[in-house]
Amino acid sequence: MDMIFIELQKNIHTPLYQQIYNQIKQDITDGKFPVGMKLPSKRQLEDLLSVSQTTIEMAYDQLTAEGFIAAEPRKGYFVQAIEELAYVQPTKSTIPITEKRDIETIHYDFSANTVDTEHFPFIAWRKYARDVMDTSNAHLLLLGDPHGDLELRQEIARYLYHSRGVDCIPEQIIIGSGTEQLLPLIIRILGEQACYAIEDPGYLMTRHAFSESNGMTIPIAVDQEGLDVKALQRTDATIAYVTPSHQFPTGAVLSAARRTALLNWAASNSDFFIIEDDYDSEFRYRGRPIPSLQGMDKGENVIYLSTFTKSLMPSMRIAYMVLPPQLLEAYRQAFIPFSSSVPRIDQHILARFMAEGQFSRHLNRMRKIYRRKMQILTDTLKPYEPTITFSGDEAGMHILLHVHTEKTEKELLELALNAGIKIRGLDTYRVIQTHSVPSFLIGFGGLSEDEIRMGVNKLLHVWNIEKATVPNQ
């Protein structure tokens, strides 16, 4: 079936994917969609509803997980018999074959969330792991401080002060198993009346976290100076979520004037707060490090949030937040029965790794490696200017690639995927869609230098983009 009727209400708190899921589920339950009926493809439904493909994927994934529909490779999604849901078992070939085929067809993964694994300090990490896993540390098998063990919080406080200018004491730091675990805790203590301003384009997980909590969100445009603070001031937002040091995904740095304006906005009302997500500030390649908003804040209105995902490894699942004193007591009261979500053994390995200077040495080494990779990426792209331009190359582990062509972003993405190249389009991260130049996130963290060169050249070849001709001298 090419068409189905789904009515979306974009002015309510229910996320769009949830609305799609609810309506399809109801139609199947009511018998309006007969067993075996083929649903529209994700691309068809994306065009029909004018939403991102990620939204459609989330709805279809939930319906598939609950057995209302089933995916048949190369055929599509089909309605299942409701009375048989309790007995439906996934076939042996469904998941493994799909995963294997995806791995085989992706030759160059330019995802922005990959890191360099070749240069991880395994020997040093193994030493600290061995030291911690000792009978003298049997107490680490028991539950510890719900805010995280003091040893790690002390090291984080020391590191933040010297590297980011964050002014805090260990008691203000809360350890958690990732930003997506800490954000709901922040949302809870900020209260049901909070209204969140989010960057547009911005981080998908953050947008979903606010939407899932039924919090009102207001997209605020981002330009070359970061979040448009004047636009923020014209809204009813009480909380501003920002990535000021290296905006995700554009790479913009919040200008000094806007930093001051944003802090003044937060100070103008006791209920206003800024959530500063400093997700990859360690990797800056030009100029001095960008100071944190928390360090500049005199009114104690900034909640600082960061993680070890980029600096060490995504799989370790250790993040942290620094709460202003006025929110700390509210947090304690709200989460008295909670335990820390991070294993104490992992906390102590990391604490020792930091205390003995290994973390700083690792960062210095990786900063040089990523700077070199960034240089190779931009050097490979420059011969294709002005058809190809890029931005956000001063920091981080990805750039924003702009393609000046008549092809659409969707067409370019399809050409890349057919060639075994994984990239993400900027429209994926937008709330308000625009008709701008097709732009793509090009991450390089997990690729070797040769893979960066070959992958970029192959990508531009399949896009039929040629190097600029150099005029005769």
Side-chain angles (χ1 to χ4, degrees):
M1 175 177 286
D2 293 333
M3 298 284 287
I4 60 176
F5 179 78
I6 294 178
E7 184 177 6
L8 296 182
Q9 301 181 53
K10 299 188 177 182
N11 59 343
I12 64 174
H13 294 317
T14 305
L16 295 179
Y17 85 89
Q18 185 76 36
Q19 295 183 46
I20 297 170
Y21 158 84
N22 288 339
Q23 292 185 48
I24 294 178
K25 175 183 174 181
Q26 191 63 50
D27 285 341
I28 293 174
T29 304
D30 293 343
K32 295 178 180 178
F33 292 174
V35 175
M37 187 190 90
K38 182 180 179 182
L39 294 179
S41 69
K42 289 183 285 188
R43 186 173 302 159
Q44 289 172 326
L45 204 53
E46 173 191 7
D47 293 337
L48 176 66
L49 301 178
S50 298
V51 297
S52 71
Q53 193 164 116
T54 301
T55 300
I56 306 300
E57 287 175 351
M58 291 177 68
Y60 272 17
D61 286 349
Q62 187 64 33
L63 289 164
T64 303
E66 295 183 16
F68 287 96
I69 64 175
E72 293 187 21
R74 300 175 183 248
K75 292 184 179 180
Y77 291 85
F78 296 86
V79 174
Q80 299 297 289
I82 298 177
E83 62 272 17
E84 297 174 0
L85 289 182
Y87 307 99
V88 171
Q89 297 293 330
T91 61
K92 293 181 179 180
S93 61
T94 302
I95 296 176
I97 289 179
T98 301
E99 291 183 349
K100 184 177 180 181
R101 183 166 58 248
D102 287 347
I103 292 173
E104 290 177 346
T105 55
I106 300 300
H107 306 300
Y108 300 102
D109 187 352
F110 285 102
S111 300
N113 58 356
T114 58
V115 300
D116 186 305
T117 57
E118 181 181 353
H119 296 91
F120 183 80
F122 285 103
I123 295 175
W125 193 265
R126 184 164 57 244
K127 172 187 180 299
Y128 296 116
R130 187 167 55 245
D131 291 345
V132 169
M133 292 295 292
D134 186 80
T135 54
S136 62
N137 291 320
H139 64 284
L140 297 182
L141 302 179
L142 305 175
L143 292 176
D145 192 310
H147 291 191
D149 278 22
L150 181 60
E151 291 85 346
L152 179 56
R153 288 187 286 139
Q154 287 174 331
E155 291 304 323
I156 290 174
R158 188 176 297 115
Y159 163 73
L160 288 177
Y161 179 74
H162 291 292
S163 67
R164 302 294 297 122
V166 172
D167 186 11
C168 70
I169 57 177
E171 288 73 16
Q172 291 176 251
I173 297 174
I174 312 294
I175 308 294
S177 58
T179 303
E180 62 269 32
Q181 186 257 334
L182 291 175
L183 263 180
L185 305 185
I186 295 173
I187 292 169
R188 179 169 168 181
I189 63 173
L190 290 175
E192 296 180 356
Q193 302 305 314
C195 180
Y196 298 89
I198 58 174
E199 297 170 320
D200 187 24
Y203 194 24
L204 284 177
M205 185 279 295
T206 304
R207 190 197 313 167
H208 292 315
F210 293 138
S211 297
E212 289 294 333
S213 68
N214 293 325
M216 175 67 74
T217 58
I218 301 173
I220 305 294
V222 170
D223 58 24
Q224 65 273 15
E225 292 187 64
L227 184 84
D228 185 345
V229 180
K230 288 185 178 179
L232 166 68
Q233 294 167 342
R234 293 192 293 267
T235 71
D236 294 327
T238 59
I239 314 295
Y241 170 88
V242 291
T243 50
S245 297
H246 186 231
Q247 199 276 331
F248 186 88
T250 67
V253 174
L254 191 64
S255 66
R258 290 191 182 180
R259 284 170 177 265
T260 301
L262 182 59
L263 289 170
N264 288 336
W265 168 84
S268 66
N269 190 306
S270 60
D271 292 328
F272 287 6
F273 290 95
I274 300 165
I275 301 175
E276 177 182 14
D277 191 342
D278 209 18
Y279 69 100
D280 72 348
S281 60
E282 294 89 355
F283 303 111
R284 182 162 182 79
Y285 313 123
R286 287 188 236 160
R288 300 179 61 185
I290 305 299
S292 69
L293 286 173
Q294 197 275 356
M296 298 171 61
D297 180 30
K298 304 304 179 185
E300 298 182 335
N301 297 103
V302 176
I303 302 167
Y304 183 88
L305 192 63
S306 192
T307 174
F308 291 96
T309 294
K310 298 284 189 180
S311 57
L312 277 175
M313 49 181 158
S315 64
M316 189 166 64
R317 310 308 300 149
I318 297 183
Y320 53 91
M321 60 181 174
V322 179
L323 291 178
Q326 58 182 312
L327 291 179
L328 192 57
E329 185 56 34
Y331 179 89
R332 287 174 177 153
Q333 293 300 319
F335 301 107
I336 287 176
F338 279 47
S339 300
S340 176
S341 58
V342 179
R344 296 183 69 198
I345 289 172
D346 291 348
Q347 292 187 52
H348 280 258
I349 293 172
L350 178 55
R352 295 194 183 192
F353 188 77
M354 297 178 75
E356 297 191 16
Q358 291 287 351
F359 183 57
S360 295
R361 285 191 283 274
H362 174 65
L363 285 180
N364 289 335
R365 182 167 56 249
M366 295 311 299
R367 197 175 290 115
K368 294 176 182 176
I369 290 170
Y370 288 135
R371 181 187 290 115
R372 169 69 178 164
K373 289 185 177 184
M374 176 71 84
Q375 190 65 53
I376 288 171
L377 174 60
T378 56
D379 285 349
T380 307
L381 289 169
K382 283 177 181 176
Y384 296 91
E385 294 178 329
T387 306
I388 290 292
T389 57
F390 54 86
S391 58
D393 57 322
E394 296 182 354
M397 292 149 64
H398 76 273
I399 64 168
L400 201 58
L401 183 69
H402 312 285
V403 187
H404 303 270
T405 175
E406 294 182 357
K407 292 186 175 69
T408 66
E409 181 176 301
K410 188 182 298 184
E411 290 171 336
L412 294 172
L413 281 171
E414 188 170 347
L415 287 170
L417 188 59
N418 290 339
I421 302 172
K422 186 176 182 180
I423 57 174
R424 268 284 183 94
L426 185 60
D427 281 350
T428 302
Y429 301 94
R430 295 187 191 276
V431 177
I432 301 173
Q433 298 297 316
T434 63
H435 300 287
S436 56
V437 173
S439 301
F440 305 88
L441 275 73
I442 304 294
F444 54 83
L447 296 174
S448 68
E449 295 179 5
D450 286 340
E451 287 172 330
I452 292 171
R453 292 189 187 93
M454 293 186 293
V456 168
N457 283 321
K458 182 176 181 179
L459 176 64
L460 300 183
H461 174 72
V462 300
W463 283 349
N464 198 28
I465 295 174
E466 299 180 353
K467 294 182 179 180
T469 55
V470 180
N472 295 326
Q473 300 295 324

